[in-house]
Amino acid sequence: MEALDLARWQFGITTVYHFLFVPLTIGLGVFVAGLQTAWHRTGKEQYLRLTKFFGKLFLINFAMGVVTGIVQEFQFGMNWSEYSVFVGDVFGAPLALEALIAFFLESTFLGLWIFGWDRLPKRVHLASIWAAVIGSNLSAYFILAANAWMKHPVGYEVVDGRARMTDLWAVLTNSTALAQVPHVVAASFVVAGGFVLAVCGHHILKERRRDPDRTVPVRRGAGSMWHTPMRAALVMTAVAGAVVAGTGDLSGKLLYEQQPMKLAAAEGLEHDTAGAGFSPVPGVEIPMLLSLLATNDPDAVVQGTEDIQKRFEERFGPGDYRPNVPVVYLSFRVMIVFGLATTGLSVLALWLTRRRRGRRAGGPQRELPSWLARAFLLALPLPVLAVIAGWLLSEIGRQPWTVQGELLTAASVSPGVSLAEVAVSLAVFTLLYGLLAVAEAVLLVRHVKEGPEPAAPAADGGRDGRGGRRDGGDGGTAARLQPTLMY
């Protein structure tokens, strides 16, 4: 074992761990902003309570994502200095934009949102959370644009052994980035939707345990406050799942053109094949499906790993240019199966909880089956595992390159780092991240079990036409709930 091996393990562990928080932050932030918008428009107290409740969960996850993300940048200088030297002139621009525009926008307005309850006008406070979530999505865009450049480098030239950017616009509008950004962001909404559904399922089952005879409808006029976030999460997950599928199809076609080795490894295809089939599981193949998905032509030739290996040896010299095929093959299928399962569950739940025909609005509605609420809880890990598998497919499938066709991973590691030094830092980070994982789980479980704060009694009975307070307030609930947000 060499320092390179442990450096790769360390970066892989810390990246996957960090990526546990990123999708939930992106999706849940938008969900919280939507709940607060509903409160602003309707004045209904339940939307405020839900905003506060899911806002606490969002902040816990956001804080953990920031802490774990900082480590990523240090690793570039510690373990991957040769990589940093090569890509620094290109990566500098998108990462600077991410820090100076996206992260500052995100952190500044999130601070205003946290401390602005009952201090800022309602519209300004609402704009703060929307500005923060826009910053989160911009941050994802700039980082994914930099990552896409590693897979499909554009807008650069190599001078004195370093990549120098010649066209920032080409880097930011890289075709790989334009497919990858909506794919990852939509997957983040699926993760957030699965999380919200699990939380709602827990509380619906909790209500039924208190009162076994009580029904919990999921439509307007229902008695449980959890029907609103659950229904919104179902729609968000179903729509986002469709976007993931569409952008995934586009990404697959780009792989055919830009990273044929990764495409071949994802199918375990060894030799160039016309009308290549796709195997959902080993030993079962659907004829010509891979060619159809990759090119829209069922008879197209798809390159195989062994034949690409020979071409790369002729072009780049001796070496093994194949990724870890079993890992790439398995990751591809885990991503597809778990992603489809999550989306399918949301579509099934939408159908089972649809409005009965012939019923007036506000009348009796279809109930949420208890088994479906339990399914929401059991399905919680599925979208998380799907996005992790997708990230493994994306990054391991690019190996042995850090920058496709330009810089090998073996040439990217810091020359002065010893095996012992990397081993110590790997052990420290693994232990620290394990402790952080326990802290994250304890905080999330505690706040989910506590649920929203009880509804506050109104200071007076005056209500406006929308059900809100005549004075524009919320009956003192915002002031009473604010200390719980300041954990």
Side-chain angles (χ1 to χ4, degrees):
M1 182 172 290
E2 300 177 354
L4 170 65
D5 302 311
L6 287 187
R8 290 183 64 190
W9 270 103
Q10 179 173 303
F11 198 85
I13 290 172
T14 54
T15 300
V16 169
Y17 188 88
H18 174 62
F19 200 65
L20 289 173
F21 309 107
V22 172
L24 185 56
T25 295
I26 293 173
L28 193 57
V30 174
F31 191 80
V32 170
L35 288 174
Q36 185 167 346
T37 301
W39 171 60
H40 178 76
R41 291 177 59 85
T42 67
K44 292 182 179 180
E45 186 184 27
Q46 75 165 10
Y47 288 120
L48 174 63
R49 296 170 62 204
L50 289 169
T51 300
K52 295 282 187 172
F53 172 70
F54 284 106
K56 286 189 290 185
L57 303 178
F58 165 70
L59 290 176
I60 293 171
N61 192 75
F62 176 84
M64 200 67 67
V66 171
V67 171
T68 56
I70 292 174
V71 176
Q72 302 301 102
E73 298 179 3
F74 285 122
Q75 287 190 88
F76 290 139
M78 292 167 54
N79 295 342
W80 304 99
S81 61
E82 293 299 313
Y83 165 81
S84 299
V85 168
F86 183 81
V87 306
D89 291 343
V90 176
F91 267 37
L95 294 185
L97 290 171
E98 189 274 335
L100 297 176
I101 298 178
F103 184 72
F104 280 178
L105 179 71
E106 181 182 22
S107 57
T108 299
F109 283 96
L110 189 60
L112 290 174
W113 184 73
I114 293 173
F115 296 102
W117 291 100
D118 295 335
R119 292 182 175 88
L120 295 175
K122 288 177 66 176
R123 290 184 178 179
V124 175
H125 189 257
L126 176 63
S128 297
I129 186 61
W130 277 112
V133 299
I134 290 173
S136 296
N137 284 269
L138 283 176
S139 179
Y141 178 84
F142 289 126
I143 292 174
L144 290 171
N147 177 264
W149 185 85
M150 297 166 61
K151 303 168 185 172
H152 181 227
V154 295
Y156 77 105
E157 61 181 1
V158 178
V159 180
D160 298 329
R162 298 179 60 177
R164 292 188 178 178
M165 184 168 58
T166 59
D167 189 345
L168 175 61
W169 183 248
V171 173
L172 295 180
T173 58
N174 188 343
S175 58
T176 303
L178 295 181
Q180 184 170 274
V181 170
H183 187 70
V184 173
V185 171
S188 301
F189 285 111
V190 175
V191 172
F195 178 80
V196 173
L197 289 175
V199 172
C200 293
H202 164 75
H203 282 282
I204 288 173
L205 291 174
K206 186 177 178 180
E207 289 179 348
R208 290 184 177 177
R209 284 194 296 268
R210 287 202 207 108
D211 185 2
D213 296 328
R214 179 181 177 181
T215 59
V216 185
V218 296
R219 292 284 192 165
R220 187 168 301 177
S224 173
M225 69 178 294
W226 297 104
H227 79 280
T228 300
M230 187 190 70
R231 190 70 183 178
L234 287 173
V235 174
M236 180 174 72
T237 305
V239 173
V243 175
V244 169
T247 54
D249 177 70
L250 176 59
S251 297
K253 290 175 171 57
L254 291 175
L255 286 183
Y256 177 82
E257 301 173 0
Q258 301 168 2
Q259 300 180 80
M261 181 68 86
K262 183 189 294 185
L263 179 63
E267 177 50 35
L269 187 68
E270 295 185 347
H271 300 287
D272 298 354
T273 304
F278 175 78
S279 56
V281 295
V284 177
E285 181 177 296
I286 303 175
M288 298 187 291
L289 182 58
L290 182 62
S291 293
L292 180 63
L293 292 175
T295 66
N296 291 329
D297 180 2
D299 298 317
V301 175
V302 178
Q303 301 180 62
T305 55
E306 299 303 319
D307 293 325
I308 298 173
Q309 168 68 19
K310 294 176 182 177
R311 298 185 191 106
F312 278 13
E313 286 181 346
E314 295 174 358
R315 178 180 177 186
F316 300 109
D320 189 354
Y321 298 96
R322 292 162 296 191
N324 189 322
V325 175
V327 173
V328 176
Y329 181 90
L330 179 62
S331 298
F332 186 42
R333 280 143 188 82
V334 170
M335 177 188 69
I336 292 176
V337 171
F338 287 178
L340 286 177
T342 305
T343 305
L345 179 63
S346 65
V347 173
L348 175 63
L350 283 172
W351 172 257
L352 293 178
T353 58
R354 68 193 183 281
R355 184 184 296 275
R356 286 193 176 111
R357 292 184 179 181
R359 300 286 185 177
R360 294 178 300 172
Q365 307 293 332
R366 297 182 186 272
E367 303 170 12
L368 177 72
S370 294
W371 66 265
L372 191 55
R374 296 187 184 95
F376 292 159
L377 288 169
L378 295 175
L380 174 60
L382 297 185
V384 178
L385 293 175
V387 297
I388 291 176
W391 198 247
L392 292 176
L393 166 68
S394 176
E395 299 306 301
I396 295 179
R398 191 186 62 245
Q399 297 301 315
W401 304 98
T402 46
V403 180
Q404 184 72 34
E406 291 288 353
L407 182 66
L408 291 168
T409 305
S412 304
V413 71
S414 300
V417 175
S418 68
L419 177 65
E421 290 172 331
V422 181
V424 171
S425 62
L426 174 60
V428 170
F429 281 134
T430 302
L431 177 61
L432 177 61
Y433 278 21
L435 295 175
L436 288 175
V438 173
E440 161 94 354
V442 169
L443 286 172
L444 287 177
V445 171
R446 177 190 302 169
H447 285 287
V448 168
K449 286 185 175 180
E450 287 178 354
E453 289 289 319
D460 59 58
R463 297 281 167 181
D464 61 21
R466 297 182 305 168
R469 298 285 301 171
R470 283 195 299 261
D471 58 7
D474 58 282
T477 305
R480 194 172 69 82
L481 294 184
Q482 184 179 352
T484 67
L485 198 60
M486 304 299 108
Y487 62 88

